[in-house]
Amino acid sequence: MDLAFVESGLLEKYLDSDVISAEQVAALLKRRGILDGTPMYLDEETQTPIPPLCEFGRYLSTALLDETTLKDYGRVVSRVDDHLAELNSDVLSATESDLVSYRSHRTQWQKKPVGGSVWSRESFVLDDLYGFLVDRKILTHRPARLAARGRNALAPQVRSGMDIRHLTFEQYRYFRDVGLGGQLPDAQVNPTFRGWSPLRDRAGSDIALGSGMRWREWATVLLPEIGLWPGMPGGAAEFTVQACAKYAKARTIYVPEDAVGSAELFCLLERPDIVRRAAQSLERKARDLFVLGEVDVAGGRVRGVLDGVVREFQMSAMDAKLRRIAVFEGEFGLEALTLFVCRGGLMPGADAWKSYRHRAWTRMTDLADETTPLLPARRWRWHDLRHTYALRLLTYLENMMDGEEPDLQARRRRHRSYLTGHIRHNPLLIVSRRLGHSNPETTYEYLQYTDDLINEFEAAFNGWVGDDETSYAAIASHAISSAKGGR
């Protein structure tokens, strides 16, 4: 079985048929609600669709999943079929033992076994697939039995908690200044640094930490949203995320002034050169871009030409794919509307940000010396900055609530009263709302870590982000002198 995905944007380039035009196919896909990324399963010999599985692909499309998720789910079914083909079986005729064999292959025997979270997602897709096939009367029953309480027998046996990893102040500054910023631990310029845009990467880390946004949210932020647009007053920024948020759940984001200042420094010193170099390339691609003619900052809307048609969108409703191709006429020609840009002039993708982080980790470990804070065994993730935000804010709010109360029992009584009488001001619920958690129980996972972080600043993030005079080298020097003085 071969796997393909719907890509309406490629029709004009590659469809060559006397039977139907590219415009007609695109209109048909739109009328039937077939989204880009919808998986299509084809017979290897005839290259004709396999109806039951293609129906499942369309079923996924009607669930309004994003393109990346649609493709991931489609690959799960394809992987299962490839494994079953080796057992002289297929997805439609699989038995429970076939699927158990696939689970063992993925979680134990393949070259790089997957963890519980990955298998949990694959198990969910398989359960959804066979539920769909039974509901449509294509199969009479599921191949895998339902375990106690309706649990899928293929689901992971061990339920793991959240993998919460956070950074201390020293660790964050080392990550930002040395790993991403290209400095040496003593704050000198690293002559071997070959990073393309250290100010961009530093700004990304400052915004991620200062706002608590997920990667897809902060990496796709637009210039008007963060306040770096002509006529805007500057300072802290506040805007709504929705299409790029998890489950498309809308919430208000606050980016502190220091983090916006870090982004502004990138826009002043690095971004213009990147934009100038990429302007001609973007002009050649103009037909494939969303060329804006109007940006309504007050109304939070943009208007421009997309695929030859004038379209208007609410900024918060623009998904990552649309944000990536949104451009406007700037000083040097066409320029991306997103804050972060790469060499091609458009928004960096997931793989690009992953490579920035991996190279930063390599520099951090290679340059480690006696001033280096303790580094974890596993390299950091961008999501760790979100965890750090949550823990810092939760600890700060709890300290604000406790005040100077020295008696532990008195503090506990106050917490109990706080939870029942002042839900709106409860620190845990405030953090839950800021993070956009659908269930406060997710935020409860952070409670076991709140005693691990330092609490020596006037405000939760005072001095963490921005470019004040305190460099990582100064922090490390102070730490060393303090340690020597205590001996």
Side-chain angles (χ1 to χ4, degrees):
M1 181 177 69
D2 290 335
L3 173 64
F5 300 103
V6 173
E7 293 285 352
S8 58
L10 301 179
L11 289 171
E12 186 176 343
K13 293 182 179 179
Y14 298 106
L15 182 62
D16 183 14
S17 173
D18 296 330
V19 178
I20 190 170
S21 67
E23 292 77 10
Q24 289 174 314
V25 175
L28 182 61
L29 291 173
K30 183 178 180 181
R31 181 162 61 87
R32 295 294 178 85
I34 307 298
L35 303 179
D36 281 355
T38 299
M40 301 291 294
Y41 301 96
L42 311 175
D43 183 89
E44 290 184 4
E45 296 182 0
T46 64
Q47 291 298 291
T48 55
I50 302 174
L53 298 183
C54 287
E55 286 182 29
F56 177 67
R58 184 176 179 182
Y59 157 77
L60 293 176
S61 180
T62 57
L64 299 180
L65 302 174
D66 62 57
E67 183 176 349
T68 302
T69 304
L70 282 171
K71 290 183 176 180
D72 287 343
Y73 285 10
R75 294 187 186 102
V76 170
V77 178
S78 179
R79 273 196 300 268
V80 174
D81 191 77
D82 289 343
H83 178 79
L84 295 178
E86 299 176 0
L87 305 177
N88 297 319
S89 182
D90 57 48
V91 172
L92 298 178
S93 59
T95 63
E96 185 176 64
S97 61
D98 293 334
L99 297 180
V100 170
S101 171
Y102 174 69
R103 180 183 65 184
S104 300
H105 167 72
R106 288 288 283 161
T107 59
Q108 298 179 46
W109 309 123
Q110 67 179 22
K111 184 176 180 180
K112 188 177 180 181
V114 300
S117 60
V118 174
W119 175 250
S120 179
R121 182 174 65 248
E122 297 201 7
S123 172
F124 167 79
V125 175
L126 292 177
D127 188 53
D128 201 25
L129 167 65
Y130 286 112
F132 169 83
L133 295 176
V134 170
D135 290 342
R136 298 297 174 90
K137 310 300 183 184
I138 299 170
L139 295 179
T140 58
H141 62 278
R142 298 169 183 259
R145 296 163 294 172
L146 289 179
R149 299 181 182 177
R151 248 177 83 99
N152 180 0
L154 297 177
Q157 299 301 311
V158 178
R159 293 190 177 184
S160 58
M162 291 176 58
D163 184 16
I164 296 177
R165 299 164 57 191
H166 58 277
L167 285 67
T168 64
F169 176 54
E170 292 82 3
Q171 287 173 333
Y172 173 70
R173 280 303 183 92
Y174 186 75
F175 169 60
R176 192 196 71 171
D177 296 346
V178 178
L180 297 173
Q183 297 181 11
L184 294 172
D186 61 358
Q188 299 299 311
V189 175
N190 182 2
T192 65
F193 179 69
R194 295 293 180 267
W196 174 257
S197 296
L199 293 179
R200 176 197 59 199
D201 301 345
R202 282 165 52 99
S205 65
D206 276 350
I207 292 174
L209 176 73
S211 65
M213 287 189 281
R214 298 180 177 92
W215 171 84
R216 185 184 289 270
E217 297 164 346
W218 62 259
T220 60
V221 68
L222 304 178
L223 289 169
E225 289 177 328
I226 203 166
L228 300 178
W229 190 256
M232 298 190 72
E238 189 171 306
F239 58 95
T240 300
V241 294
Q242 183 262 316
C244 292
K246 191 173 183 178
Y247 307 126
K249 182 181 178 182
R251 77 180 191 279
T252 300
I253 296 295
Y254 175 79
V255 183
E257 184 174 355
D258 285 344
V260 176
S262 185
E264 186 175 16
L265 189 64
F266 159 64
C267 289
L268 289 174
L269 300 182
E270 284 183 354
R271 197 175 189 278
D273 187 55
I274 300 175
V275 169
R276 178 180 57 81
R277 291 171 182 266
Q280 290 185 354
S281 175
L282 293 185
E283 291 287 351
R284 291 192 294 268
K285 301 177 182 177
R287 290 184 57 189
D288 300 323
L289 302 176
F290 179 26
V291 183
L292 304 177
E294 179 184 351
V295 178
D296 179 8
V297 176
R301 305 185 71 86
V302 294
R303 182 183 178 89
V305 178
L306 178 64
D307 296 330
V309 179
V310 177
R311 302 287 303 277
E312 184 173 327
F313 294 93
Q314 193 76 24
M315 290 186 199
S316 60
M318 295 172 64
D319 60 20
K321 186 176 180 180
L322 183 58
R323 286 168 179 254
R324 188 178 190 277
I325 62 174
V327 296
F328 66 97
E329 192 68 34
E331 179 182 358
F332 306 105
L334 290 184
E335 178 179 342
L337 189 66
T338 53
L339 166 63
F340 298 111
V341 292
C342 59
R343 295 191 185 192
L346 298 177
M347 181 183 79
D351 290 340
W353 282 105
K354 183 178 180 180
S355 69
Y356 305 155
R357 176 173 58 85
H358 285 196
R359 288 198 294 267
W361 177 261
T362 300
R363 283 191 290 272
M364 291 161 61
T365 53
D366 289 346
L367 295 173
D369 57 20
E370 68 277 3
T371 69
T372 301
L374 179 65
L375 300 179
R378 293 181 295 164
R379 62 173 164 242
W380 281 312
R381 310 158 299 182
W382 290 114
H383 205 70
D384 296 342
L385 300 180
R386 175 175 163 87
H387 291 166
T388 305
Y389 167 89
L391 289 165
R392 287 290 309 171
L393 184 58
L394 184 58
T395 302
Y396 173 73
L397 292 174
E398 286 185 341
N399 289 342
M400 288 282 290
M401 184 179 69
D402 288 339
E404 300 297 328
E405 177 60 66
D407 181 39
L408 177 61
Q409 296 301 322
R411 290 203 303 271
R412 287 179 177 174
R413 286 194 297 272
R414 185 184 297 178
H415 277 251
R416 286 195 294 268
S417 174
Y418 211 85
L419 286 169
T420 56
H422 305 280
I423 296 296
R424 189 167 64 91
H425 301 289
N426 177 262
L428 195 66
L429 298 182
I430 291 174
V431 174
S432 182
R433 289 194 295 268
R434 285 292 182 184
L435 295 177
H437 285 162
S438 298
N439 191 332
E441 288 185 6
T442 305
T443 320
Y444 295 164
E445 296 280 347
Y446 291 95
L447 290 177
Q448 59 186 309
Y449 298 93
T450 53
D451 292 333
D452 294 344
L453 296 181
I454 50 180
N455 299 285
E456 58 190 49
F457 305 104
E458 294 178 358
F461 301 105
N462 184 29
W464 279 63
V465 298
D467 285 287
D468 57 13
E469 297 180 357
T470 307
S471 66
Y472 168 74
I475 297 167
S477 175
H478 174 72
I480 291 177
S481 62
S482 299
K484 290 180 179 179
R487 291 180 181 175

